[in-house]
Amino acid sequence: MIRIENISKQNGNHLLFIEASAALLKGEKVGLVGPNGAGKTTLFRMLTGQEAPDEGQVSHDRGVSIGYFNQDVGEMSGRSAVSEVMDGAGPVSVVAAELRALETAMADPANLDEMDEIIERYGEVQGRFEELDGYALEGRAREVLAGLSFSQEMMDGDVGALSGGWKMRVALARILIMRPDVMLLDEPSNHLDLESLIWLEEFLKNYDGALLMTSHDREFMNRIVGKIIEIDGGSLATYSGDYEYYERQRALNEKQQQAQFERQQAMLAKEIKFIERFKARASHAAQVQSRVKKLEKIEKLEPPRRRQTILFEFPPAPRSGEDVVSLKNVHKSYGPRRIYQGLDFQVRRKERWCVMGVNGAGKSTLLKLVVGSTQPDHGSVALGGSVKMAYFAQHAMELLEGERTVFETLEDSFPQAGQGSLRALAGCFGFSGDDVEKKCRVLSGGEKARLVMAKMLYDPPNFLVLDEPTNHLDLLTKEMLIAALSHYEGAMLFVSHDRHFLAALSNRVLELTDEGVHKFGGGYTEYVARTGHEAPGLRS
C-alpha cells in the first residue's frame, strides 16, 4: 500500500535517512521504533506528503486513504466533542454539516421565500446522508469517545473547555471513526488511562486496515503489531514479529555481528603480523605481496552500533521504621463529590503498592494525602519513624527553572556534590556531553521527567511516591527506571497506566472502585489472575 524506496533525508546537519527502504502492506500492523531524534515523526510526515525526501521516493497505491494522528492537535473550540469527532469521518461529515446548515435555514423565518428550494435540497442531502449510513455516525462517535473514557457531559460540552490530554483523545477519535485504509499513529497511547488503553488495543486489533504506529508502551505494542520497522543509523530494518521478538532478534544480530567483527579483527591482526614480520625478506616477497592484495580486497566489517544504555543504581537508602505511612478513618470530598469515606490504609517497609482505579476514583488524591499536599476533611495521615519521602508528579516538571541549565539545576539541588559526581548522575539519566548545558525551557517532556527523577533519586529516599512516572519516557528510559527500582530497598506507592511497569514493580495492589476499596496481596500480575480483568473499569 505504501512503499519507501531508497530515501535519504537530512535535517540541518543531522542525516536522518540514507538510502532507506521499507514497505507497509495491506492489513499489516507495524510498530515503528528507534531512539529519540532518529526520525520517526519525519518519516510519518514523508508518508503523508507533508515533507518530501531529499532523494528516493515514497509511493502509495492509487486511491488509498490515510489517517494520521500526532501530538500536535491544533485548535479546538466552539462545538461539542461529538461534533468534532464526527467531522473527521470523511465524506459523510461534509454531508452532515450541510444537513445541519439546511435544518438551521428551515427554522429561520427570514428564509420563507426560498423555503421550497431549501426543502428540496434537504431531501437530496438527507438521501445521500442515509446512503452513507450517516444516522449511525453519531452513535459510532459516542461509542469511540466512551471507549476513550469520555462521560456524556464531556461528549456534549464545548471541546475548548477540555485539557490538552483530553483534546488529544478527541483528535485520536477523529482518526478512529474515519477508518482509513492506512492509519499512521504517532504515540496514540500517550495521555490514556489504563481502561482507554485496553479499549484502544482491542479496537486496533479488530481494525482491518494497515497500521503503522509508535508507542512507548511495550505491552500495548506487543499485543497489536506483527512486524517492526526500526530506524537504525539512517537505515530501515524490518523484523517479522512483535516487539519482544524484535528485541531478542536484535540482540542476537548484534551478538553475531560482534562475533564476526572480532573474528575478522583477529584474522587481520594475524595477516598484518605476518606482513610486518616478513616484508623485508626477499624469500617471502611473493607471499607478503599476496597477503597485502588479499587485505586490500577484504570488505571491512563494522562493530555493531551500541545503543545508549542508561544504568542507574540506587545508593542504599536509610532504613525506615516498619510502618511507613498510616491513613486512619480518612474522609475527603471536593464540593459535593465524595472521594473517600472512612479510608483505612497502611504502607509498611518494603511494600510496593500500585493504586488502580478509573478516572476520578481518587488515585492522585490518595498520593497527595500521603505527601501532605492536600489535607483530609476528617481522619489522620501519619508518616512513620525515620521516613524520608520523595514525590514525583507531573507538576514537578513545571517547577523547573527555565533559564537554568540541566547541570545548574543539579548543582542547585546538591551544592556539596562534586562536578564529576553530578556529571555521572546526568549521564545516567541520558544527559551526556553538551546535553548538560541545555536550558530547562527547551527540554522535551521526557527530558524534564528524567531531570526531575535524577534530582529525586540522587539523595536516596526510603519511601517513593510516584504519580505516572513513565509518562513522556521512551522505552529505553523506562527499562532503566524499572531495572533501578527493582533493586530499590525502600517502600513505594505509585500510580501508572503502563502494564509492564505495574507487573515488574508492584507487590501489593490497592483497587479503588464505586463499591469500595479493595486490597490485594501480590502484585499486578496476581491481581489480573485473581480478578480476571486488567483494570477496575473493565469489570464484567
Side-chain angles (χ1 to χ4, degrees), residues 417-540:
Q419 284 221 357
S421 174
L422 291 182
R423 285 188 181 276
L425 172 68
C428 284
F429 282 84
F431 298 104
S432 54
D434 293 342
D435 287 343
V436 294
E437 301 306 325
K438 280 184 178 177
K439 290 191 186 293
C440 288
R441 62 179 163 76
V442 303
L443 298 180
S444 67
E447 287 171 325
K448 285 178 180 174
R450 294 205 308 266
L451 179 55
V452 170
M453 281 180 190
K455 285 174 61 180
M456 186 177 72
L457 302 178
Y458 182 62
D459 184 18
N462 51 31
F463 181 32
L464 279 175
V465 181
L466 309 172
D467 196 355
E468 297 288 6
T470 60
N471 276 7
H472 306 293
L473 296 186
D474 61 28
L475 284 160
L476 283 175
T477 311
K478 274 189 196 179
E479 291 302 324
M480 174 279 292
L481 189 60
I482 288 170
L485 292 176
S486 64
H487 296 109
Y488 171 66
E489 290 290 315
M492 285 173 63
L493 178 68
F494 64 95
V495 173
S496 175
H497 62 244
D498 188 297
R499 285 161 291 178
H500 180 53
F501 189 86
L502 290 169
L505 296 175
S506 60
N507 60 22
R508 301 282 190 281
V509 175
L510 184 73
E511 184 188 60
L512 310 176
T513 71
D514 291 340
E515 295 82 46
V517 175
H518 310 285
K519 296 164 190 168
F520 297 85
Y524 177 72
T525 304
E526 290 82 0
Y527 162 81
V528 173
R530 283 176 63 184
T531 63
H533 56 254
E534 293 187 294
L538 301 173
R539 285 174 178 274
S540 51

Side-chain angles (χ1 to χ4, degrees), residues 89-96 98-99 102 120-135:
V92 67
S93 64
V94 177
V95 179
E98 187 178 355
L99 206 58
L102 288 165
E120 186 181 346
R121 178 61 185 158
Y122 183 78
E124 292 169 3
V125 174
Q126 192 176 40
R128 177 68 179 138
F129 192 61
E130 284 173 357
E131 277 175 35
L132 293 169
D133 200 21
Y135 286 107

Side-chain angles (χ1 to χ4, degrees), residues 302-323:
E302 295 288 332
R305 274 185 290 272
R306 294 292 176 199
R307 286 287 182 93
Q308 179 192 9
T309 52
I310 310 166
L311 298 171
F312 180 78
E313 290 183 11
F314 282 90
R319 183 183 169 123
S320 70
E322 285 302 313
D323 294 336

Side-chain angles (χ1 to χ4, degrees), residues 219-239:
E219 193 65 35
F220 178 72
M221 194 184 289
N222 254 342
R223 297 184 186 200
I224 295 168
V225 306
K227 176 173 153 181
I228 296 286
I229 294 176
E230 179 194 40
I231 303 176
D232 184 20
S235 65
L236 292 170
T238 299
Y239 296 79

Side-chain angles (χ1 to χ4, degrees), residues 28-69:
E28 278 190 327
K29 293 181 171 64
V30 182
L32 178 65
V33 302
N36 283 342
K40 296 189 289 291
T41 299
T42 301
L43 185 63
F44 277 133
R45 290 177 63 82
M46 287 193 285
L47 293 177
T48 56
Q50 292 170 271
E51 286 189 37
D54 299 334
E55 292 175 18
Q57 66 173 8
V58 175
S59 57
H60 308 85
D61 286 353
R62 189 187 300 278
V64 163
S65 60
I66 295 176
Y68 174 40
F69 168 79

